Amino acid sequence: DITHPTTNNDQQTKPTTEIMISSIINYSKDACIRTDVTGYGVPFQDITCLYPTLGKITTQWEKNYDANHAFIWMLLHPMVPIITVAIYLLLVAVGPKIMERREALNFRKSMALWNFSISLFSMIGFTRVFPQLVHNYATMGVYDNFCGDPVKAYGQATTGLWVCLFVLSKFPELI
């Protein structure tokens, strides 16, 4: 039971709901500010620091993830998604012609395992990204949420890892 002293030292009063919530959750934009580990200097709010319960369900590796390596690799290899989509479109166009004289392949068990894996991945990703989304909507304006620096909003630590994994998961999903 959280209590705060009143002007009379002999009496204790129960705090208001707002005070109770603020002692559990810190919505301050200045709390738990970290800078990415590679030293690029982009400050971001660590969601697992702001909400300690989230820290209990995330690994240290997730908390220390630095997305700058993935960002730099993607910037240096812009042809990878273009080539991937071109191969996909080629297979969509040519695949039916190749398969029209062949017997259908039975991938029922493989597809079930694939769909289960994608569902599990999505559930884990949701538990990591949704709290950041809610926090951002509670503490940032519309412009910052949609047009601001994505590294500050989602790009580092646990949330950054799972956003990066979500983006990269689109490649195998093309299969």
Side-chain angles (χ1 to χ4, degrees):
D1 188 49
I2 301 173
T3 56
H4 293 278
T6 61
T7 54
N8 182 350
N9 290 337
D10 296 340
Q11 291 183 333
Q12 300 273 326
T13 60
K14 293 197 184 247
T16 64
T17 304
E18 183 178 319
I19 293 171
M20 288 176 61
I21 290 174
S22 68
S23 67
I24 298 169
I25 300 171
N26 187 352
Y27 287 115
S28 169
K29 288 184 178 183
D30 299 327
C32 298
I33 299 292
R34 287 179 46 195
T35 304
D36 56 51
V37 259
T38 56
Y40 288 100
V42 178
F44 66 96
Q45 233 174 356
D46 183 5
I47 193 79
T48 59
C49 171
L50 290 169
Y51 308 98
T53 304
L54 293 175
K56 294 176 184 174
I57 63 167
T58 57
T59 65
Q60 196 61 39
W61 180 74
E62 288 174 299
K63 294 175 193 175
N64 292 332
Y65 177 73
D66 182 12
N68 288 318
H69 300 293
F71 292 155
I72 290 168
W73 189 91
M74 288 178 205
L75 286 172
L76 294 175
H77 300 88
M79 292 305 291
V80 171
I82 294 168
I83 292 168
T84 304
V85 170
I87 292 170
Y88 173 76
L89 293 174
L90 179 69
L91 290 174
V92 167
V94 177
K97 291 177 180 145
I98 293 171
M99 294 301 294
E100 68 186 15
R101 291 189 195 104
R102 295 185 178 186
E103 188 176 320
L105 301 172
N106 184 7
F107 287 127
R108 190 172 182 95
K109 289 180 183 177
S110 299
M111 292 305 293
L113 179 62
W114 174 255
N115 288 333
F116 175 75
S117 300
I118 291 290
S119 297
L120 184 63
F121 172 80
S122 296
M123 285 187 283
I124 294 170
F126 175 81
T127 64
R128 301 309 201 262
V129 176
F130 186 71
Q132 182 79 52
L133 176 72
V134 171
H135 174 77
N136 287 355
Y137 280 125
T139 61
M140 300 165 69
V142 173
Y143 179 83
D144 290 331
N145 273 295
F146 292 105
C147 304
D149 185 355
V151 174
K152 287 182 181 179
Y154 297 101
Q156 296 294 348
T158 304
T159 306
L161 170 66
W162 285 92
V163 168
C164 186
L165 290 174
F166 172 77
V167 169
L168 295 175
S169 75
K170 300 305 140 197
F171 288 101
E173 285 182 23
L174 283 174
I175 298 170

